[in-house]
Structures are given as C-alpha cells and as structure tokens.
Amino acid sequence: MKEIKAIIKPFKLDDVVSALHNIEDLPGITISEIKGFGRSKAKDTEDAIKDGLHNYVKKIKIELVVKDDIVDDVVKAIQENAHTGNPGDGKIFIIDVLETIRIRTGETGEDAI
Ligand SMILES: Nc1ncnc2c1ncn2[C@@H]1O[C@H](COP(=O)(O)OP(=O)(O)OP(=O)(O)O)[C@@H](O)[C@H]1O
Ligand SMILES: [Mg+2]
C-alpha cells in the first residue's frame, strides 16, 4: 500500500480527477485546499497571497492510498494532467503505508483500501 500525495495548481484539478476516474479499481480520493510555497518562497509569482509575514500560493492537495499495482498509473495520470511546464506545477510524493482499517467492517490491509 502506498499513499500518493500530490500538490497541484487548482485549475488543473478537473483534468487530474478526470484522468484518475479512468483508472480501474481507484478506491477513493481526498482533496484539500491548501497554501504553501516552493523554492521561490512565493516571491516571484502574481498569485501569491500574504498571510502574516510571509507569501503563499493557493494549491490543491490530492491524497490517495492505493495498492502497489496501480501506483504507476496514478502517478502518470497526475503528472501528465497537472503539467504546464511553468514554475509552481507542484510535486508528487509516494509514501509507504503501514496499515489501513475500514472502520465499517474491521477489514485491514489491502482488503480495506
Ligand atoms: N518539499 C516540499 N515539501 C512540502 N511541500 C512542498 C515541497 N515542495 C513543494 N511543496 C508544495 O508544493 C507547492 C508547489 O511547489 P513548486 O511546484 O513551486 O515546487 P518548486 O520546487 O519550487 O518547483 P518549481 O521550480 O517548478 O516551481 C508549494 O506551494 C508547496 O505547497
Ligand atoms: Mg516553485
């Protein structure tokens, strides 16, 4: 089991989710509206917002926990559909997941994803 955590530009969300819908066995997606900064510290971008002392840019965070066999398809779908080639396109992180528990049934591991 892997968690795929991606930070993308908000206007790319529809394209990314459309591509993810095409993946068989996709178990679920969590989407959050977030803000952050990359290497530029949001200093050189028009869409920066100041909060307190620092600049941030609004982004979307996508989180999915999936079986290992669809990790490559998920990463490809996100990378291809979130890409503009400009700074701030975001990142994809892949993280090992130790355990999953489906609260309704008590199932664990891959059965619970
Ligand atoms: N190493 C990181 N850890 C946590 N969040 C990150 C990291 N790098 C980027 N982010 C998040 O992703 C968003 C987009 O990052 P961004 O694409 O600007 O990265 P970058 O390294 O500056 O690349 P680029 O040069 O393409 O802009 C940031 O606003 C931040 O929310
Ligand atoms: Mg950047």
Side-chain angles (χ1 to χ4, degrees):
M1 292 178 288
K2 298 276 191 295
E3 179 183 22
I4 297 161
K5 190 185 306 196
I7 318 277
I8 65 166
K9 295 189 179 203
F11 84 97
K12 285 292 192 178
L13 179 62
D14 275 346
D15 286 349
V16 168
V17 172
S18 293
L20 290 171
H21 270 301
N22 290 330
I23 296 173
E24 212 176 309
D25 278 346
L26 192 83
I29 304 177
T30 298
I31 307 287
S32 314
E33 293 179 356
I34 54 121
K35 66 186 180 198
F37 57 80
R39 292 187 177 273
S40 74
K41 298 190 170 59
K43 280 181 182 144
D44 56 358
T45 134
E46 286 169 10
D47 50 356
I49 41 166
K50 193 155 195 188
D51 188 352
L53 288 178
H54 302 291
N55 282 351
Y56 305 91
V57 181
K58 286 187 176 176
K59 301 285 175 187
I60 294 284
K61 180 169 68 175
I62 300 173
E63 292 162 305
L64 314 83
V65 175
V66 300
K67 293 180 188 175
D68 289 359
D69 60 357
I70 67 164
V71 169
D72 290 349
D73 289 344
V74 169
V75 169
K76 188 165 178 255
I78 297 171
Q79 186 172 8
E80 286 182 358
N81 288 282
H83 179 264
T84 68
N86 296 318
D89 270 356
K91 304 244 165 100
I92 303 171
F93 303 104
I94 302 171
I95 303 138
D96 271 324
V97 171
L98 295 180
E99 184 58 291
T100 298
I101 298 116
R102 177 179 276 127
I103 292 174
R104 175 174 60 85
T105 60
E107 290 164 288
T108 60
E110 288 198 344
D111 292 339
I113 289 180

